[in-house]
Amino acid sequence: MLTLSRGQKKPLADFTPGTQFTVTVHAGLPGTDIAAFGLDAQGKLSDDRFMTFYNQPDAPDGAVRWSQQGDWTTFQIDLTRLPTTITRLVFTATHDDQAVGQSPTLTVELPGAVFDARDGLVNERAVMLADLYLHPPGPGGTWRVAAVSQGFDGGLRRLLEHFGGEAAEEGPAEMTPVEPVPAAPAAAPGSSLAGPLASTSGGKVSLQKGQSVSLVKKGGEPLTRIFLGLGWDPVRGGRNVDLDASCIVYDASGRDIDRVWFMGRSGQRGAVQHSGDNLTGHGQGDDERIAVDLTKLSPDAAHLLLTINSFQGQAFSQVRNAFCRVVDSVSGSELARYDLGEGGPHTGMFMARVSRTPDGWVFTALGLPGKGATVRAMVKPGRDLLT
């Protein structure tokens, strides 16, 4: 078996004469996520369906199939099933909080060749292990293999930016017209929302769309740790609905400085943590949770925007009982809750916003439609919802 070295490139035909073959990655560091990204001729992830990993094990038409057993991740590749728009497959390894190169083993194996991808790695938490690429891209090109072993200290976010994630958000196909957040309706005299701004100091507050509440403990003390619980159910008699809860962190100028979602479950140096992905929506209580240590957020973290996306493109009309709630993690007390009510034809939802103010943190119920398979499509339109 040929051993490839970092930076080496070879024709795929040197290893296998066929267009159907297996790529296997052996990663010995627990918590390492292995994925394959199908990129276009500009090196961009222009179609989220060609992001193949544990949450989406099959690319369209079976071009790439992901499976895992223990430390071993296997990709079944059929190049004839790739659309002509996909000219590159990049195999990656990411870890939420440890350098990928610390893995006791990190190898990429093709038929007749193997590559030790730890070579040259230092602090990278998101690594491009190896490439399969069409050269030149387009008809008449031949498939080649490159041993890469390069990455980013910044983790998955930087990797997605490298693959054009930010550019994809700017394109018109990803834009979502978002209505302004309506002003909170006037509260009835004596209601829990009476006064300039309601507070959770007296117990749980149920919110309507557009209403805000100041987040404090019972008795008025500042909160230190909270979790944001989001839940939903499929419509009665409907099939499973794979919705994904995410949190986008913005600074005061509207620049997104972090994202926590199913492919990057930790942010703000561990201050924001995702509970993991729920693929069906079945079960009682929260389907997904995002825990926040308010005392450990960076000083420039001004807004936390909570979103839900339909990864498989199912509309929110197929969802019932969607809600978002805030819970004091220390006492376990529910502080505020927003029930969405009816769904709609959209595939994304801006559920709520948590904002830093001079007087503490404020929770605002949004319930505004969006679209897109992942949180990437929500970042730019979400900026309009920060004030």
Side-chain angles (χ1 to χ4, degrees):
M1 179 175 287
L2 177 65
T3 298
L4 299 177
S5 57
R6 184 186 188 197
Q8 193 170 3
K9 301 177 182 180
K10 290 279 190 180
L12 178 64
D14 286 2
F15 311 123
T16 176
T19 57
Q20 299 178 1
F21 53 91
T22 298
V23 175
T24 302
V25 179
H26 184 198
L29 179 65
T32 303
D33 290 322
I34 307 298
F37 291 81
L39 309 181
D40 60 23
Q42 287 71 48
K44 297 186 183 300
L45 177 65
S46 54
D47 188 340
D48 282 338
R49 297 178 303 161
F50 287 91
M51 184 169 59
T52 312
F53 61 111
Y54 68 89
N55 194 47
Q56 183 169 244
D58 295 321
D61 298 323
V64 183
R65 297 185 184 276
W66 176 101
S67 63
Q68 189 176 64
Q69 186 172 4
D71 295 341
W72 300 83
T73 302
T74 300
F75 297 92
Q76 298 286 342
I77 312 294
D78 188 341
L79 297 177
T80 65
R81 295 179 179 269
L82 282 175
T84 56
T85 54
I86 303 297
T87 62
R88 183 181 169 200
L89 292 175
V90 183
F91 301 92
T92 68
T94 60
H95 201 285
D96 286 340
D97 50 25
Q98 294 189 54
V100 172
Q102 294 178 359
S103 180
T105 181
L106 186 62
T107 59
V108 182
E109 184 175 333
L110 298 96
V114 67
F115 167 50
D116 187 345
R118 293 175 300 174
D119 184 26
L121 298 181
V122 183
N123 297 317
E124 298 86 349
R125 291 187 290 115
V127 176
M128 296 175 287
L129 303 172
D131 278 5
L132 286 172
Y133 64 100
L134 197 59
H135 180 74
T142 58
W143 286 95
R144 298 177 63 85
V145 176
V148 181
S149 189
Q150 293 181 352
F152 305 94
D153 294 354
L156 180 68
R157 175 185 170 84
R158 288 284 293 112
L159 185 64
L160 288 173
E161 289 174 355
H162 182 74
F163 291 157
E166 299 308 305
E169 289 159 8
E170 302 293 335
E174 298 289 348
M175 288 293 291
T176 306
V178 177
E179 61 189 272
V181 179
S191 74
S192 62
L193 292 174
L197 183 63
S199 167
T200 58
S201 60
K204 184 179 79 171
V205 176
S206 294
L207 298 176
Q208 298 177 0
K209 181 177 179 178
Q211 291 182 319
S212 299
V213 63
S214 177
L215 293 177
V216 293
K217 294 181 180 180
K218 291 182 179 180
E221 297 178 18
L223 290 167
T224 55
R225 291 186 291 117
I226 63 173
F227 72 77
L228 304 158
L230 296 103
W232 55 85
D233 293 314
V235 296
R236 288 184 176 87
R239 60 194 179 100
N240 294 340
V241 177
D242 180 13
L243 299 184
D244 298 306
S246 305
C247 176
I248 312 170
V249 184
Y250 297 89
D251 65 14
S253 70
R255 180 176 63 96
D256 65 298
I257 57 177
D258 220 334
R259 301 172 208 172
V260 175
W261 57 312
F262 60 81
M263 281 200 69
R265 295 186 292 272
S266 178
Q268 288 283 287
R269 298 184 179 274
V272 185
Q273 299 279 348
H274 195 295
S275 64
D277 195 23
N278 182 308
L279 300 178
T280 67
H282 288 293
Q284 299 296 317
D286 303 327
D287 289 303
E288 296 184 11
R289 289 180 176 180
I290 295 173
V292 183
D293 188 332
L294 298 171
T295 67
K296 294 183 179 179
L297 288 171
S298 61
D300 55 345
H303 305 279
L304 308 178
L305 188 63
L306 293 230
T307 70
I308 303 178
N309 291 86
S310 175
F311 192 75
Q312 302 295 339
Q314 295 160 292
F316 271 75
S317 57
Q318 301 180 49
V319 175
R320 62 187 177 95
N321 301 331
F323 67 86
C324 179
R325 69 189 189 117
V326 185
V327 176
D328 179 359
S329 297
V330 177
S331 67
S333 301
E334 183 175 311
L335 303 174
R337 183 184 181 98
Y338 168 55
D339 292 297
L340 178 64
E342 295 297 322
H346 39 276
T347 58
M349 179 66 67
F350 297 98
M351 285 294 290
R353 181 186 71 233
V354 180
S355 298
R356 192 196 299 265
T357 75
D359 298 320
W361 292 92
V362 172
F363 178 84
T364 301
L366 297 176
L368 296 173
K371 68 177 182 179
T374 72
V375 71
R376 295 193 312 140
M378 309 287 274
V379 174
K380 181 174 172 55
R383 293 179 186 133
D384 299 330
L385 307 179
L386 300 184
T387 59

